[in-house]
Amino acid sequence: MVSKTAVVSLIGLLGMVYQATQLPPPPKSDPPGGFVVDIDVDDNGDGLVDAARIRLSDGRYLAYREKGVSKNESNYRIVLVHGFGSSKEMNFPASQELIESLGIYFVLYDRAGYGESDPNPRRTVKSEAFDIVELADQLQLGSKFYVIGVSIGSYPTWSCLKYIPHRLAGVALIVPTINYEWPSLPQSLIRTDYRRRLIQWSLWIAKHIPGLLYWWITQKDVPSTSVLERNPVYFSDRDIEVLKTTKGFPMLTQDKLQDRSVFYALRGDVVAAFGDWGFDPVRLSNPFPHNESSVHIWQGYEDKVVPFQLQRFISRKLSWIKYHEVRDGGHLILHYNGMCDYFLRALLVGEESILFRPKTA
């Protein structure tokens, strides 16, 4: 016979499971067409500033910032797509000398739900590409523009290659994340990859019991990002040195994660990045069949977030991709001294370096 205590415990457990499937209510966004004033703290300590934003066709607002030379005087116009837990305030440390000599204009934007951009409850891999198109068109970047995607910001970049190849002047993917659900990935490379199982569990929890995920990440005993940033499981020695002098992941602090809008943005990003894309990047066609421009992948050999073996597989399958490997590089090669200049020279003027040929066994 089942005891009363056991029944009460079971009911309590079922109640907890039900609560875990319920997300906290999403933050209310401004109604389309309403008067919007965006306020944020300027990184330079100058006080409060208003963000520049465009209104998309579905009524959402997308925040952006511009850097580099004047758009009207530029030779190259680049859309920079930030990674996980980042924003339009991401640092892309290209030298001012190179920016001015080549005439490079950048636009950085907060992807849906990040920073000062409105969330997109219908976010998909495809919608990310069309956010970029609308941004480019409203800012009058021209019929073609360059796209650089960083880490998880690579899935909007792959989406551009799939859905808007005719709008691309060139593409670079910096340490692009891998979706282990891509059908073309060989089992011999992913079967025993611990990252695959970790991502699968994280995705399942984010989709089915997000309330539990929200509860867990807001607990005080969850390791802070400062602890994670010193963990050699996630970062190479060179990455850890970089994190001593950079901001790291400002959206992943415990204070920020308490903010439901931040939680929604991060959760939506994970679900889109590692869920069903509707296409396999490994089967994409060359967007530049006449070699009028190029697509590049930059990968660190010592990257502990994304395995170099999978990037090599992708670049072999897509022979039109130019693959570069930083031999002592981890996941944060973007922040290594001088690397952004290498990215830009390769993408914009086709300047290659023997320093970044794949390391042989």
Side-chain angles (χ1 to χ4, degrees):
M1 184 174 180
V2 179
S3 69
K4 181 178 179 180
T5 301
V7 171
V8 172
S9 298
L10 178 59
I11 293 173
L13 178 60
L14 291 174
M16 289 175 62
V17 170
Y18 172 77
Q19 289 294 328
T21 65
Q22 309 303 304
L23 271 173
K28 294 181 179 180
S29 58
D30 300 298
F35 180 73
V36 179
V37 177
D38 295 304
I39 300 177
D40 196 8
V41 177
D42 182 35
D43 285 341
N44 296 322
D46 296 331
L48 299 178
V49 296
D50 293 339
R53 299 206 299 177
I54 62 165
R55 183 180 177 184
L56 302 173
S57 58
D58 63 2
R60 290 182 293 118
Y61 286 88
L62 205 69
Y64 68 92
R65 73 180 180 97
E66 300 165 290
K67 64 175 292 185
V69 302
S70 165
K71 179 174 58 182
N72 294 332
E73 298 176 356
S74 63
N75 298 315
Y76 304 98
R77 298 172 180 181
I78 301 176
V79 178
L80 280 171
V81 189
H82 67 77
F84 190 70
S86 187
S87 73
K88 67 182 181 300
E89 305 303 327
M90 67 171 282
N91 186 26
F92 189 83
S95 69
Q96 191 62 31
E97 179 183 1
L98 181 67
I99 291 172
E100 292 180 357
S101 65
L102 292 183
I104 306 172
Y105 160 90
F106 300 95
V107 58
L108 302 89
Y109 71 104
D110 288 331
R111 294 193 288 115
Y114 278 93
E116 297 168 287
S117 289
D118 291 339
N120 182 2
R122 293 178 293 277
R123 176 188 226 146
T124 63
V125 172
K126 186 175 183 178
S127 72
E128 293 281 308
F130 286 94
D131 282 359
I132 291 173
V133 168
E134 287 202 57
L135 176 68
D137 287 345
Q138 292 199 40
L139 295 184
Q140 300 180 334
L141 299 191
S143 61
K144 291 181 181 288
F145 50 87
Y146 292 85
V147 177
I148 297 178
V150 180
S151 190
I152 207 173
S154 61
Y155 82 82
T157 311
W158 281 115
S159 183
C160 289
L161 287 166
K162 168 65 176 177
Y163 296 110
I164 59 163
H166 58 289
R167 299 297 307 273
L168 302 175
V171 171
L173 300 107
I174 315 300
V175 293
T177 50
I178 298 293
N179 185 330
Y180 287 89
E181 299 304 311
W182 295 344
S184 296
L185 295 181
Q187 287 296 313
S188 59
L189 288 180
I190 66 176
R191 185 182 300 111
T192 59
D193 190 337
Y194 72 92
R195 286 159 289 219
R196 178 193 185 193
R197 183 62 61 187
L198 180 62
I199 289 172
Q200 287 175 333
W201 274 107
S202 299
L203 180 62
W204 189 88
I205 292 171
K207 290 176 68 175
H208 299 289
I209 46 175
L212 178 61
L213 178 61
Y214 179 77
W215 172 84
W216 183 76
I217 64 175
T218 55
Q219 298 305 296
K220 292 183 178 180
D221 55 352
V222 172
S224 65
T225 53
S226 62
V227 173
L228 297 177
E229 289 167 5
R230 295 193 300 269
N231 195 328
V233 171
Y234 306 106
F235 297 105
S236 69
D237 291 344
R238 196 169 175 186
D239 284 349
I240 292 173
E241 287 300 312
V242 165
L243 286 166
K244 292 178 180 178
T245 56
T246 64
K247 292 182 179 180
F249 305 92
M251 284 186 69
L252 302 184
T253 64
Q254 285 189 336
D255 287 345
K256 284 287 187 181
L257 290 172
Q258 295 282 349
D259 186 331
R260 287 184 305 224
S261 63
V262 171
F263 174 79
Y264 271 86
L266 298 176
R267 172 183 176 267
D269 217 14
V270 168
V271 171
F274 299 110
D276 181 10
W277 284 22
F279 70 93
D280 185 346
V282 184
R283 299 189 182 280
L284 290 177
S285 300
N286 184 357
F288 308 113
H290 304 296
N291 295 321
E292 60 270 36
S293 192
S294 55
V295 179
H296 300 254
I297 288 179
W298 290 83
Q299 173 67 25
Y301 181 77
E302 298 181 1
D303 192 333
K304 298 185 180 182
V305 178
V306 182
F308 72 87
Q309 294 92 336
L310 290 177
Q311 305 288 23
R312 288 185 180 183
F313 169 80
I314 292 167
S315 63
R316 284 195 297 267
K317 286 292 186 180
L318 300 176
S319 58
W320 41 270
I321 285 183
K322 297 181 182 295
Y323 179 67
H324 314 267
E325 198 168 274
V326 183
R327 297 182 182 182
D328 62 345
H331 195 63
L332 303 181
I333 58 174
L334 174 78
H335 301 284
Y336 296 0
N337 186 40
M339 283 305 304
C340 285
D341 283 17
Y342 283 116
F343 301 157
L344 293 172
R345 289 184 184 280
L347 176 63
L348 303 179
V349 297
E351 187 175 302
E352 304 286 341
S353 173
I354 62 172
L355 294 174
F356 307 115
R357 291 177 180 172
K359 184 177 180 179
T360 56

